[in-house]
Amino acid sequence: MSQIITRFAPSPTGLLHAGNYRTAVFAYLFAKHVGGKFILRIEDTDVARSKKEYEENIYETLAWLGVKADETYRQSEHRPRHRELLEKLIADGTAYVSKETPKNPGDREEVIRFKNPHGSVTFTDVIRGDITTDVSDLGDFIIARSFDEPVFHFAVVVDDADEHVTHVIRGGDHISNTARQILIMRALSLPIPLYAHLPLIFDNTHKKLSKRTGAKALTEYRDQGILPEALLNYLSFLGWNPGDAREYLTRDELIQAFDLSRVQKGSAIFDDVKLLSVNQYWMR
Ligand code: GLU
C-alpha cells in the first residue's frame, strides 16, 4: 500500500481554537501511527479575511504543541494550478462562466458555476459510515468568483489531489461540503480520498467552539501556564480514547495508541476545568 498522507488545512481568518487544533492533532497522530506523512496547508485564498498574524499564530501553536508538519504549503501559491483546472472544466463543458445580477454592492457580475449533474453522491466516512446526498438541491454551485479566486470547495480538492492526500480528517461541520467536492473530483478525474469527519466540540455551556464567537486561542492557554504535554494529551481525548484505563499519555504513547477506529461519532465537550486537572498531572 502506498504511503498514508493526512493534512491540516486551516484558514487563517481568525485565531484557531481547541476544536481546530484537535483536528490537527488527530491528523498528525494518525499519520505518525501508520508511518505516514502529515501536511500543513494554510488555506489563505480568502484574501479579504486571511491575516498574516493568524497564520503566524498557527505556526507558533503547532510548534509549541510539537505537532510537526512534514511539508507546509500556502494555498495562494497554487493559483496558477487552480486557474488551469478551472479552464479545463470550462473547456470540458462541466463548468461555465455565469452572468449574475448583483444584489448587493460589490457582488460579481460574473462567477464560475459547476453544472449540476443531478443524482446522488455516496461516500463511506471512516467514522460515520455511508453518507448519501441528493445533489440536485445544490443547484449549479459556484466554484470560483473569478479565474484567480476559486472558492474553498474547488481549491481544497485540487490541493488534496496534488499533495497526494489519502485521508481527509476534518471537522464534522464539513460533511455537508463533501458531496460538492466529490462532484468536482469526479469531473477532474482526481482520486477520491478517504474521509473521516470528527465529532463536533462544544464548550461546557453547549455552544459550538467557533473562531467567530471568540473561542480561546491555544496560545492563551500557554500564556496561562498550561503545558504542551497536557494540552496535547487533552485534545487527543476529545472524541477518542485508547480503549483502556489510561488517561495520561505522552506524545509517543499517543502515536502508538491512536487509531481512527476508536474515534467516536458523538460530540465532545471542551472543559477548562478538566484541562486544568490534566495539566496538574503533567506539572507533577
Ligand atoms: N480550510 C477549511 C477550514 O478551515 C478546512 C478544509 C478541510 O479540512 O477540508 O475549515
Side-chain angles (χ1 to χ4, degrees):
M1 200 178 156
S2 59
Q3 192 183 32
I4 286 181
I5 302 180
T6 67
R7 76 338 183 244
F8 176 48
S11 309
T13 55
L15 287 171
L16 305 192
H17 54 69
N20 302 120
Y21 287 108
R22 189 278 314 262
T23 300
V25 167
F26 281 27
Y28 165 81
L29 292 178
F30 177 65
K32 297 296 124 181
H33 177 75
V34 294
K37 207 158 71 175
F38 169 67
I39 291 177
L40 169 63
R41 183 175 67 235
I42 305 288
E43 303 217 312
D44 58 346
T45 42
D46 184 339
V47 182
R49 292 176 54 227
S50 295
K51 293 222 163 54
K52 200 70 201 170
E53 65 191 269
Y54 298 139
E55 183 177 333
E56 292 299 334
N57 189 266
I58 296 170
Y59 299 133
E60 193 183 328
T61 307
L62 290 175
W64 174 67
L65 274 178
V67 172
K68 199 172 168 316
D70 297 298
E71 287 168 15
T72 300
Y73 300 98
R74 299 180 75 223
Q75 192 158 57
S76 55
E77 287 157 8
H78 307 155
R79 283 219 180 86
R81 173 68 170 157
H82 298 150
R83 171 184 266 273
E84 174 195 329
L85 292 183
L86 280 170
E87 284 169 349
K88 179 177 184 311
L89 283 186
I90 291 176
D92 292 348
T94 328
Y96 61 96
V97 176
S98 155
K99 300 277 176 222
E100 306 285 314
T101 318
K103 292 194 191 80
N104 299 302
D107 281 359
R108 302 303 164 96
E109 291 182 14
E110 260 182 25
V111 296
I112 300 167
R113 289 184 181 273
F114 188 85
K115 236 182 241 167
N116 195 309
H118 301 286
S120 66
V121 165
T122 298
F123 68 96
T124 304
D125 190 278
V126 176
I127 297 162
R128 299 160 192 260
D130 283 359
I131 298 178
T132 299
T133 310
D134 179 348
V135 298
S136 294
D137 300 343
L138 304 173
D140 286 359
F141 54 90
I142 297 176
I143 53 173
R145 284 181 275 274
S146 74
F147 282 97
D148 291 314
E149 295 162 289
V151 304
F152 157 63
H153 299 298
F154 188 80
V156 81
V157 305
V158 171
D159 290 4
D160 281 341
D162 285 350
E163 290 155 18
H164 309 289
V165 169
T166 58
H167 290 64
V168 169
I169 299 173
R170 60 184 178 185
D173 46 339
H174 284 293
I175 292 176
S176 58
N177 295 328
T178 308
R180 266 188 201 86
Q181 295 172 7
I182 289 176
L183 289 178
I184 299 170
M185 285 183 260
R186 283 187 189 158
L188 289 168
S189 305
L190 301 175
I192 297 180
L194 285 169
Y195 287 94
H197 286 98
L198 305 180
L200 297 177
I201 302 182
F202 294 86
D203 66 17
N204 49 15
T205 66
H206 301 285
K207 273 207 311 279
K208 209 181 116 201
L209 295 191
S210 148
K211 269 189 255 192
R212 290 177 206 226
T213 58
K216 215 149 101 185
L218 295 199
T219 37
E220 266 186 70
Y221 287 102
R222 174 198 63 190
D223 297 345
Q224 289 168 0
I226 300 289
L227 300 174
E229 291 83 354
L231 202 45
L232 186 73
N233 190 164
Y234 186 58
L235 293 175
S236 306
F237 276 68
L238 293 176
W240 173 85
N241 67 73
D244 53 40
R246 286 179 298 166
E247 278 183 82
Y248 305 110
L249 282 80
T250 63
R251 169 195 326 284
D252 286 346
E253 287 165 346
L254 287 167
I255 290 173
Q256 252 242 305
F258 192 83
D259 196 359
L260 289 174
S261 65
R262 298 200 61 82
V263 176
Q264 72 193 36
K265 291 194 199 71
S267 56
I269 306 265
F270 185 90
D271 180 10
D272 280 8
V273 176
K274 178 76 184 142
L275 172 61
L276 280 178
S277 84
V278 175
N279 198 51
Q280 270 163 12
Y281 171 86
W282 285 103
M283 304 255 282
R284 284 200 300 273

